[in-house]
Amino acid sequence: NEKVSMNPVEQSIKTKLVEALSPLHLEIRNESHMHNVPANSETHFKVIVVSDKFAEPSYKMPIKRHRLINNILKEEIATDGPVHALSIVAKTSKQWSASPLIPSSPSCRGGDGSLPSK
Amino acid sequence: MMRGIAFFCVMVAITIQRTSSFVVSPGLTPSINILRKTGKSTKVETLLKMSDEFSQFAQQLPARERIQELVDDHPVLLFMKGSKIFPQCGFSNTATQILQSYNIDFHTVDVLADEAIRSGIKDFSQWPTIPQLYVCGEFVGGSDIMIEMYQNGELGVMIEKAKADMM
């Protein structure tokens, strides 16, 4: 009695981030609907990760945090992978309680024609 | 026969003169398309074919070298989708808006116009997405990082240093 997942990419992202970062807060937003792709796509995501892994000195700089997350999700975001764009918000629990506002992702502007459109 | 050779030499000379500018300024690509639409004679078609072949050859020069040169030549450099005045992606647009707010000269490279640069830059930076910002030869990040650094003032500090380089 196997149920095929409706959102396999999102599930995979969640599993990998939880395993690697033990986040205190994790939000995965499928933003594909904001872009020029068919309904129910899993091509554009925003991930909001609050983890005290980022409190480690080597993860102080945002770029180091983003590279870490890129590495965790490297299959998903590979050129031939399903994810076309990944927006990342990566904070420590301290930073998160100080400022929990998330900048919203920008509107599409049409895209480059590489994905099937709506 | 001699007239044929002379004609050919003239054609080559004109082509070399024209195509060198196509290699340097990818922004001239739209004018090639206009020529393509209006060019009726076979002379124009031959020129266009030769310039296509030449620019394809130029594009095969290792992308890594071309990227390194761009990074070395421009203190503020953005690899993006589309151009400064016509971004073709929301994230690339955000990046250009942020840079424009500093009122500095910055150079953009349209990865949609050059497939070798598009894949090459991901390898060069070890970063999977576009846009990508380089300041003073250093990879800064994509649009999310630019937003964060813009808001906390860190990007402004980097830009000031780059401004000094531009003097």
Side-chain angles (χ1 to χ4, degrees):
Chain A
N1 193 21
E2 256 184 40
K3 197 173 166 192
V4 174
S5 177
M6 287 295 286
N7 52 355
V9 178
E10 188 171 326
Q11 293 299 332
S12 174
I13 291 173
K14 184 175 178 180
T15 305
K16 289 181 183 180
L17 289 175
V18 167
E19 196 178 304
L21 300 172
S22 306
L24 298 150
H25 176 80
L26 174 64
E27 197 185 329
I28 300 168
R29 294 185 191 171
N30 184 342
E31 296 193 324
S32 310
H33 62 277
M34 289 166 63
H35 296 268
N36 196 15
V37 292
N40 302 319
S41 292
E42 289 200 286
T43 51
H44 297 70
F45 286 91
K46 187 188 227 49
V47 297
I48 297 148
V49 189
V50 180
S51 167
D52 283 325
K53 177 103 182 146
F54 303 137
E56 288 173 25
S58 44
Y59 296 114
K60 183 166 186 279
M61 297 293 291
I63 187 152
K64 294 277 165 58
R65 298 177 186 181
H66 287 223
R67 282 199 189 281
L68 176 62
I69 291 173
N70 286 344
N71 198 42
I72 293 165
L73 301 176
K74 63 173 178 251
E75 269 173 37
E76 282 77 10
I77 58 181
T79 308
D80 53 1
V83 176
H84 187 78
L86 182 67
S87 172
I88 298 173
V89 175
K91 300 194 180 201
T92 60
S93 48
K94 204 169 163 188
Q95 288 170 332
W96 176 246
S97 32
S99 157
L101 290 174
I102 306 297
S104 44
S105 291
S107 59
C108 174
R109 304 185 78 89
D112 57 27
S114 65
L115 299 168
S117 51
K118 287 195 206 293
Chain B
M1 164 87 164
M2 290 304 292
R3 269 168 63 178
I5 292 173
F7 177 71
F8 181 74
C9 289
V10 168
M11 292 281 278
V12 169
I14 294 171
T15 306
I16 290 171
Q17 200 182 34
R18 290 183 62 137
T19 55
S20 57
S21 61
F22 293 145
V23 171
V24 167
S25 320
L28 284 179
T29 311
S31 50
I32 299 178
N33 291 329
I34 293 167
L35 276 174
R36 205 161 262 140
K37 283 174 192 164
T38 56
K40 290 168 192 170
S41 71
T42 52
K43 287 179 203 175
V44 174
E45 280 167 26
T46 311
L47 274 174
L48 291 172
K49 187 167 181 290
M50 287 171 83
S51 76
D52 265 351
E53 284 163 7
F54 190 76
S55 57
Q56 272 168 42
F57 163 72
Q59 288 191 359
Q60 275 160 38
L61 292 170
R64 194 163 194 91
E65 276 173 30
R66 292 196 285 134
I67 291 168
Q68 186 64 63
E69 210 177 295
L70 286 162
V71 165
D72 293 337
D73 286 350
H74 303 282
V76 182
L77 174 67
L78 183 72
F79 292 89
M80 63 180 288
K81 292 183 180 179
S83 65
K84 213 185 279 196
I85 48 165
F86 191 62
Q88 286 184 249
C89 156
F91 299 104
S92 286
N93 182 48
T94 297
T96 53
Q97 299 283 354
I98 288 175
L99 290 175
Q100 269 157 6
S101 75
Y102 292 112
N103 255 317
I104 38 128
D105 261 336
F106 64 97
H107 188 78
T108 63
V109 176
D110 181 0
V111 303
L112 301 179
D114 192 333
E115 194 54 46
I117 295 275
R118 185 178 183 172
S119 46
I121 191 62
K122 292 177 186 178
D123 200 53
F124 188 89
S125 312
Q126 286 293 291
W127 189 263
T129 49
I130 305 289
Q132 296 190 10
L133 176 66
Y134 277 83
V135 177
C136 297
E138 192 189 319
F139 177 63
V140 176
S143 65
D144 289 332
I145 289 179
M146 286 176 70
I147 291 171
E148 199 172 330
M149 291 177 73
Y150 169 75
Q151 286 172 342
N152 69 18
E154 282 174 34
L155 187 57
V157 171
M158 294 190 84
I159 297 284
E160 281 303 309
K161 284 198 192 126
K163 245 179 176 168
D165 281 358
M166 290 184 217
M167 299 285 176

PDB file of all heavy atoms in Angstrom, chain B residues 57-82:
ATOM      1  N   PHE B  57      34.166  30.219 -32.304  1.00  0.00           N
ATOM      2  CA  PHE B  57      35.560  29.876 -31.993  1.00  0.00           C
ATOM      3  C   PHE B  57      36.016  30.605 -30.731  1.00  0.00           C
ATOM      4  O   PHE B  57      36.600  30.024 -29.836  1.00  0.00           O
ATOM      5  CB  PHE B  57      36.450  30.222 -33.191  1.00  0.00           C
ATOM      6  CG  PHE B  57      37.912  30.289 -32.857  1.00  0.00           C
ATOM      7  CD1 PHE B  57      38.640  29.139 -32.589  1.00  0.00           C
ATOM      8  CD2 PHE B  57      38.574  31.514 -32.779  1.00  0.00           C
ATOM      9  CE1 PHE B  57      39.985  29.203 -32.256  1.00  0.00           C
ATOM     10  CE2 PHE B  57      39.918  31.585 -32.454  1.00  0.00           C
ATOM     11  CZ  PHE B  57      40.632  30.425 -32.190  1.00  0.00           C
ATOM     12  N   ALA B  58      35.690  31.918 -30.681  1.00  0.00           N
ATOM     13  CA  ALA B  58      36.114  32.721 -29.535  1.00  0.00           C
ATOM     14  C   ALA B  58      35.489  32.191 -28.246  1.00  0.00           C
ATOM     15  O   ALA B  58      36.107  32.182 -27.197  1.00  0.00           O
ATOM     16  CB  ALA B  58      35.740  34.186 -29.749  1.00  0.00           C
ATOM     17  N   GLN B  59      34.237  31.741 -28.371  1.00  0.00           N
ATOM     18  CA  GLN B  59      33.547  31.244 -27.181  1.00  0.00           C
ATOM     19  C   GLN B  59      34.126  29.935 -26.695  1.00  0.00           C
ATOM     20  O   GLN B  59      33.884  29.544 -25.572  1.00  0.00           O
ATOM     21  CB  GLN B  59      32.044  31.095 -27.462  1.00  0.00           C
ATOM     22  CG  GLN B  59      31.345  32.442 -27.552  1.00  0.00           C
ATOM     23  CD  GLN B  59      29.836  32.318 -27.555  1.00  0.00           C
ATOM     24  OE1 GLN B  59      29.287  31.221 -27.502  1.00  0.00           O
ATOM     25  NE2 GLN B  59      29.158  33.428 -27.625  1.00  0.00           N
ATOM     26  N   GLN B  60      34.892  29.255 -27.567  1.00  0.00           N
ATOM     27  CA  GLN B  60      35.469  27.996 -27.120  1.00  0.00           C
ATOM     28  C   GLN B  60      36.755  28.197 -26.340  1.00  0.00           C
ATOM     29  O   GLN B  60      37.237  27.267 -25.717  1.00  0.00           O
ATOM     30  CB  GLN B  60      35.749  27.075 -28.307  1.00  0.00           C
ATOM     31  CG  GLN B  60      34.518  26.267 -28.713  1.00  0.00           C
ATOM     32  CD  GLN B  60      34.647  25.746 -30.122  1.00  0.00           C
ATOM     33  OE1 GLN B  60      35.744  25.361 -30.529  1.00  0.00           O
ATOM     34  NE2 GLN B  60      33.566  25.748 -30.867  1.00  0.00           N
ATOM     35  N   LEU B  61      37.320  29.425 -26.398  1.00  0.00           N
ATOM     36  CA  LEU B  61      38.492  29.690 -25.555  1.00  0.00           C
ATOM     37  C   LEU B  61      38.077  29.352 -24.141  1.00  0.00           C
ATOM     38  O   LEU B  61      36.994  29.699 -23.710  1.00  0.00           O
ATOM     39  CB  LEU B  61      38.899  31.161 -25.650  1.00  0.00           C
ATOM     40  CG  LEU B  61      39.446  31.620 -26.994  1.00  0.00           C
ATOM     41  CD1 LEU B  61      39.583  33.128 -27.023  1.00  0.00           C
ATOM     42  CD2 LEU B  61      40.777  30.976 -27.293  1.00  0.00           C
ATOM     43  N   PRO B  62      38.974  28.677 -23.419  1.00  0.00           N
ATOM     44  CA  PRO B  62      38.536  28.148 -22.129  1.00  0.00           C
ATOM     45  C   PRO B  62      37.769  29.176 -21.306  1.00  0.00           C
ATOM     46  O   PRO B  62      38.248  30.275 -21.064  1.00  0.00           O
ATOM     47  CB  PRO B  62      39.852  27.759 -21.448  1.00  0.00           C
ATOM     48  CG  PRO B  62      40.802  27.532 -22.559  1.00  0.00           C
ATOM     49  CD  PRO B  62      40.381  28.424 -23.679  1.00  0.00           C
ATOM     50  N   ALA B  63      36.584  28.787 -20.880  1.00  0.00           N
ATOM     51  CA  ALA B  63      35.720  29.699 -20.139  1.00  0.00           C
ATOM     52  C   ALA B  63      36.414  30.176 -18.883  1.00  0.00           C
ATOM     53  O   ALA B  63      36.291  31.342 -18.498  1.00  0.00           O
ATOM     54  CB  ALA B  63      34.411  28.996 -19.801  1.00  0.00           C
ATOM     55  N   ARG B  64      37.160  29.279 -18.266  1.00  0.00           N
ATOM     56  CA  ARG B  64      37.860  29.613 -17.025  1.00  0.00           C
ATOM     57  C   ARG B  64      38.782  30.829 -17.188  1.00  0.00           C
ATOM     58  O   ARG B  64      38.814  31.715 -16.346  1.00  0.00           O
ATOM     59  CB  ARG B  64      38.695  28.397 -16.601  1.00  0.00           C
ATOM     60  CG  ARG B  64      39.160  28.518 -15.195  1.00  0.00           C
ATOM     61  CD  ARG B  64      39.628  27.205 -14.611  1.00  0.00           C
ATOM     62  NE  ARG B  64      39.728  27.382 -13.195  1.00  0.00           N
ATOM     63  CZ  ARG B  64      38.747  27.142 -12.332  1.00  0.00           C
ATOM     64  NH1 ARG B  64      37.605  26.665 -12.741  1.00  0.00           N
ATOM     65  NH2 ARG B  64      38.903  27.381 -11.041  1.00  0.00           N
ATOM     66  N   GLU B  65      39.496  30.849 -18.333  1.00  0.00           N
ATOM     67  CA  GLU B  65      40.417  31.963 -18.596  1.00  0.00           C
ATOM     68  C   GLU B  65      39.647  33.262 -18.776  1.00  0.00           C
ATOM     69  O   GLU B  65      40.045  34.312 -18.283  1.00  0.00           O
ATOM     70  CB  GLU B  65      41.214  31.715 -19.883  1.00  0.00           C
ATOM     71  CG  GLU B  65      42.435  30.841 -19.671  1.00  0.00           C
ATOM     72  CD  GLU B  65      43.118  30.476 -20.995  1.00  0.00           C
ATOM     73  OE1 GLU B  65      43.036  31.278 -21.948  1.00  0.00           O
ATOM     74  OE2 GLU B  65      43.702  29.391 -21.042  1.00  0.00           O
ATOM     75  N   ARG B  66      38.560  33.162 -19.530  1.00  0.00           N
ATOM     76  CA  ARG B  66      37.765  34.370 -19.788  1.00  0.00           C
ATOM     77  C   ARG B  66      37.160  34.894 -18.492  1.00  0.00           C
ATOM     78  O   ARG B  66      37.094  36.097 -18.260  1.00  0.00           O
ATOM     79  CB  ARG B  66      36.671  34.085 -20.811  1.00  0.00           C
ATOM     80  CG  ARG B  66      37.233  33.797 -22.205  1.00  0.00           C
ATOM     81  CD  ARG B  66      36.173  33.892 -23.270  1.00  0.00           C
ATOM     82  NE  ARG B  66      35.274  32.762 -23.267  1.00  0.00           N
ATOM     83  CZ  ARG B  66      33.950  32.878 -23.356  1.00  0.00           C
ATOM     84  NH1 ARG B  66      33.376  34.042 -23.463  1.00  0.00           N
ATOM     85  NH2 ARG B  66      33.196  31.795 -23.353  1.00  0.00           N
ATOM     86  N   ILE B  67      36.683  33.969 -17.646  1.00  0.00           N
ATOM     87  CA  ILE B  67      36.090  34.372 -16.372  1.00  0.00           C
ATOM     88  C   ILE B  67      37.146  35.031 -15.486  1.00  0.00           C
ATOM     89  O   ILE B  67      36.903  36.090 -14.903  1.00  0.00           O
ATOM     90  CB  ILE B  67      35.465  33.162 -15.644  1.00  0.00           C
ATOM     91  CG1 ILE B  67      34.230  32.678 -16.411  1.00  0.00           C
ATOM     92  CG2 ILE B  67      35.077  33.520 -14.207  1.00  0.00           C
ATOM     93  CD1 ILE B  67      33.701  31.340 -15.950  1.00  0.00           C
ATOM     94  N   GLN B  68      38.331  34.436 -15.420  1.00  0.00           N
ATOM     95  CA  GLN B  68      39.409  34.997 -14.593  1.00  0.00           C
ATOM     96  C   GLN B  68      39.740  36.403 -15.051  1.00  0.00           C
ATOM     97  O   GLN B  68      39.942  37.303 -14.246  1.00  0.00           O
ATOM     98  CB  GLN B  68      40.645  34.096 -14.672  1.00  0.00           C
ATOM     99  CG  GLN B  68      41.761  34.505 -13.734  1.00  0.00           C
ATOM    100  CD  GLN B  68      41.370  34.394 -12.286  1.00  0.00           C
ATOM    101  OE1 GLN B  68      41.079  33.310 -11.780  1.00  0.00           O
ATOM    102  NE2 GLN B  68      41.317  35.516 -11.579  1.00  0.00           N
ATOM    103  N   GLU B  69      39.767  36.589 -16.373  1.00  0.00           N
ATOM    104  CA  GLU B  69      40.074  37.900 -16.927  1.00  0.00           C
ATOM    105  C   GLU B  69      39.009  38.919 -16.529  1.00  0.00           C
ATOM    106  O   GLU B  69      39.306  40.040 -16.123  1.00  0.00           O
ATOM    107  CB  GLU B  69      40.131  37.789 -18.450  1.00  0.00           C
ATOM    108  CG  GLU B  69      41.069  38.771 -19.106  1.00  0.00           C
ATOM    109  CD  GLU B  69      41.132  38.552 -20.607  1.00  0.00           C
ATOM    110  OE1 GLU B  69      41.612  37.480 -21.001  1.00  0.00           O
ATOM    111  OE2 GLU B  69      40.689  39.452 -21.330  1.00  0.00           O
ATOM    112  N   LEU B  70      37.748  38.513 -16.634  1.00  0.00           N
ATOM    113  CA  LEU B  70      36.651  39.397 -16.244  1.00  0.00           C
ATOM    114  C   LEU B  70      36.756  39.773 -14.769  1.00  0.00           C
ATOM    115  O   LEU B  70      36.621  40.933 -14.396  1.00  0.00           O
ATOM    116  CB  LEU B  70      35.300  38.707 -16.499  1.00  0.00           C
ATOM    117  CG  LEU B  70      34.854  38.586 -17.961  1.00  0.00           C
ATOM    118  CD1 LEU B  70      33.765  37.529 -18.103  1.00  0.00           C
ATOM    119  CD2 LEU B  70      34.364  39.924 -18.488  1.00  0.00           C
ATOM    120  N   VAL B  71      37.020  38.763 -13.947  1.00  0.00           N
ATOM    121  CA  VAL B  71      37.117  38.981 -12.498  1.00  0.00           C
ATOM    122  C   VAL B  71      38.282  39.920 -12.172  1.00  0.00           C
ATOM    123  O   VAL B  71      38.179  40.779 -11.299  1.00  0.00           O
ATOM    124  CB  VAL B  71      37.268  37.608 -11.781  1.00  0.00           C
ATOM    125  CG1 VAL B  71      37.731  37.772 -10.362  1.00  0.00           C
ATOM    126  CG2 VAL B  71      35.962  36.841 -11.818  1.00  0.00           C
ATOM    127  N   ASP B  72      39.382  39.776 -12.919  1.00  0.00           N
ATOM    128  CA  ASP B  72      40.552  40.639 -12.693  1.00  0.00           C
ATOM    129  C   ASP B  72      40.318  42.060 -13.190  1.00  0.00           C
ATOM    130  O   ASP B  72      40.820  43.020 -12.612  1.00  0.00           O
ATOM    131  CB  ASP B  72      41.794  40.071 -13.410  1.00  0.00           C
ATOM    132  CG  ASP B  72      42.253  38.746 -12.803  1.00  0.00           C
ATOM    133  OD1 ASP B  72      41.933  38.485 -11.624  1.00  0.00           O
ATOM    134  OD2 ASP B  72      42.937  37.977 -13.505  1.00  0.00           O
ATOM    135  N   ASP B  73      39.574  42.194 -14.286  1.00  0.00           N
ATOM    136  CA  ASP B  73      39.424  43.505 -14.919  1.00  0.00           C
ATOM    137  C   ASP B  73      38.374  44.408 -14.280  1.00  0.00           C
ATOM    138  O   ASP B  73      38.391  45.619 -14.486  1.00  0.00           O
ATOM    139  CB  ASP B  73      39.033  43.335 -16.402  1.00  0.00           C
ATOM    140  CG  ASP B  73      40.212  42.871 -17.246  1.00  0.00           C
ATOM    141  OD1 ASP B  73      41.341  42.862 -16.722  1.00  0.00           O
ATOM    142  OD2 ASP B  73      39.996  42.511 -18.414  1.00  0.00           O
ATOM    143  N   HIS B  74      37.415  43.830 -13.588  1.00  0.00           N
ATOM    144  CA  HIS B  74      36.304  44.638 -13.086  1.00  0.00           C
ATOM    145  C   HIS B  74      36.165  44.557 -11.575  1.00  0.00           C
ATOM    146  O   HIS B  74      35.849  43.501 -11.048  1.00  0.00           O
ATOM    147  CB  HIS B  74      34.990  44.187 -13.751  1.00  0.00           C
ATOM    148  CG  HIS B  74      35.030  44.264 -15.243  1.00  0.00           C
ATOM    149  ND1 HIS B  74      34.893  45.454 -15.925  1.00  0.00           N
ATOM    150  CD2 HIS B  74      35.210  43.314 -16.186  1.00  0.00           C
ATOM    151  CE1 HIS B  74      34.985  45.226 -17.224  1.00  0.00           C
ATOM    152  NE2 HIS B  74      35.174  43.934 -17.406  1.00  0.00           N
ATOM    153  N   PRO B  75      36.378  45.677 -10.871  1.00  0.00           N
ATOM    154  CA  PRO B  75      36.289  45.653  -9.401  1.00  0.00           C
ATOM    155  C   PRO B  75      34.901  45.235  -8.887  1.00  0.00           C
ATOM    156  O   PRO B  75      34.798  44.641  -7.820  1.00  0.00           O
ATOM    157  CB  PRO B  75      36.582  47.093  -8.990  1.00  0.00           C
ATOM    158  CG  PRO B  75      37.216  47.737 -10.169  1.00  0.00           C
ATOM    159  CD  PRO B  75      36.755  47.004 -11.379  1.00  0.00           C
ATOM    160  N   VAL B  76      33.844  45.588  -9.638  1.00  0.00           N
ATOM    161  CA  VAL B  76      32.516  45.128  -9.242  1.00  0.00           C
ATOM    162  C   VAL B  76      31.901  44.437 -10.453  1.00  0.00           C
ATOM    163  O   VAL B  76      31.664  45.058 -11.484  1.00  0.00           O
ATOM    164  CB  VAL B  76      31.606  46.284  -8.775  1.00  0.00           C
ATOM    165  CG1 VAL B  76      30.252  45.746  -8.317  1.00  0.00           C
ATOM    166  CG2 VAL B  76      32.261  47.056  -7.645  1.00  0.00           C
ATOM    167  N   LEU B  77      31.697  43.119 -10.323  1.00  0.00           N
ATOM    168  CA  LEU B  77      31.308  42.299 -11.471  1.00  0.00           C
ATOM    169  C   LEU B  77      30.139  41.396 -11.093  1.00  0.00           C
ATOM    170  O   LEU B  77      30.195  40.673 -10.109  1.00  0.00           O
ATOM    171  CB  LEU B  77      32.507  41.450 -11.884  1.00  0.00           C
ATOM    172  CG  LEU B  77      32.315  40.407 -12.983  1.00  0.00           C
ATOM    173  CD1 LEU B  77      32.025  41.080 -14.308  1.00  0.00           C
ATOM    174  CD2 LEU B  77      33.550  39.532 -13.089  1.00  0.00           C
ATOM    175  N   LEU B  78      29.084  41.456 -11.889  1.00  0.00           N
ATOM    176  CA  LEU B  78      27.905  40.627 -11.615  1.00  0.00           C
ATOM    177  C   LEU B  78      27.612  39.707 -12.788  1.00  0.00           C
ATOM    178  O   LEU B  78      27.406  40.163 -13.906  1.00  0.00           O
ATOM    179  CB  LEU B  78      26.685  41.525 -11.346  1.00  0.00           C
ATOM    180  CG  LEU B  78      25.396  40.807 -10.968  1.00  0.00           C
ATOM    181  CD1 LEU B  78      25.483  40.245  -9.552  1.00  0.00           C
ATOM    182  CD2 LEU B  78      24.191  41.738 -11.091  1.00  0.00           C
ATOM    183  N   PHE B  79      27.629  38.401 -12.524  1.00  0.00           N
ATOM    184  CA  PHE B  79      27.165  37.436 -13.516  1.00  0.00           C
ATOM    185  C   PHE B  79      25.670  37.297 -13.293  1.00  0.00           C
ATOM    186  O   PHE B  79      25.230  36.982 -12.185  1.00  0.00           O
ATOM    187  CB  PHE B  79      27.881  36.089 -13.332  1.00  0.00           C
ATOM    188  CG  PHE B  79      29.338  36.155 -13.654  1.00  0.00           C
ATOM    189  CD1 PHE B  79      30.263  36.482 -12.672  1.00  0.00           C
ATOM    190  CD2 PHE B  79      29.787  35.909 -14.942  1.00  0.00           C
ATOM    191  CE1 PHE B  79      31.616  36.563 -12.963  1.00  0.00           C
ATOM    192  CE2 PHE B  79      31.152  35.987 -15.251  1.00  0.00           C
ATOM    193  CZ  PHE B  79      32.058  36.309 -14.259  1.00  0.00           C
ATOM    194  N   MET B  80      24.890  37.549 -14.353  1.00  0.00           N
ATOM    195  CA  MET B  80      23.438  37.585 -14.169  1.00  0.00           C
ATOM    196  C   MET B  80      22.709  37.019 -15.382  1.00  0.00           C
ATOM    197  O   MET B  80      23.316  36.721 -16.390  1.00  0.00           O
ATOM    198  CB  MET B  80      22.983  39.025 -13.929  1.00  0.00           C
ATOM    199  CG  MET B  80      23.239  39.950 -15.106  1.00  0.00           C
ATOM    200  SD  MET B  80      22.686  41.656 -14.792  1.00  0.00           S
ATOM    201  CE  MET B  80      20.907  41.442 -14.855  1.00  0.00           C
ATOM    202  N   LYS B  81      21.391  36.917 -15.226  1.00  0.00           N
ATOM    203  CA  LYS B  81      20.563  36.507 -16.365  1.00  0.00           C
ATOM    204  C   LYS B  81      19.956  37.771 -16.957  1.00  0.00           C
ATOM    205  O   LYS B  81      19.190  38.462 -16.297  1.00  0.00           O
ATOM    206  CB  LYS B  81      19.460  35.557 -15.906  1.00  0.00           C
ATOM    207  CG  LYS B  81      20.002  34.223 -15.459  1.00  0.00           C
ATOM    208  CD  LYS B  81      18.874  33.284 -15.086  1.00  0.00           C
ATOM    209  CE  LYS B  81      19.443  31.953 -14.639  1.00  0.00           C
ATOM    210  NZ  LYS B  81      18.385  31.017 -14.238  1.00  0.00           N
ATOM    211  N   GLY B  82      20.280  38.026 -18.208  1.00  0.00           N
ATOM    212  CA  GLY B  82      19.814  39.268 -18.820  1.00  0.00           C
ATOM    213  C   GLY B  82      20.866  40.346 -18.636  1.00  0.00           C
ATOM    214  O   GLY B  82      22.021  40.080 -18.280  1.00  0.00           O
TER     215      GLY B  82
END
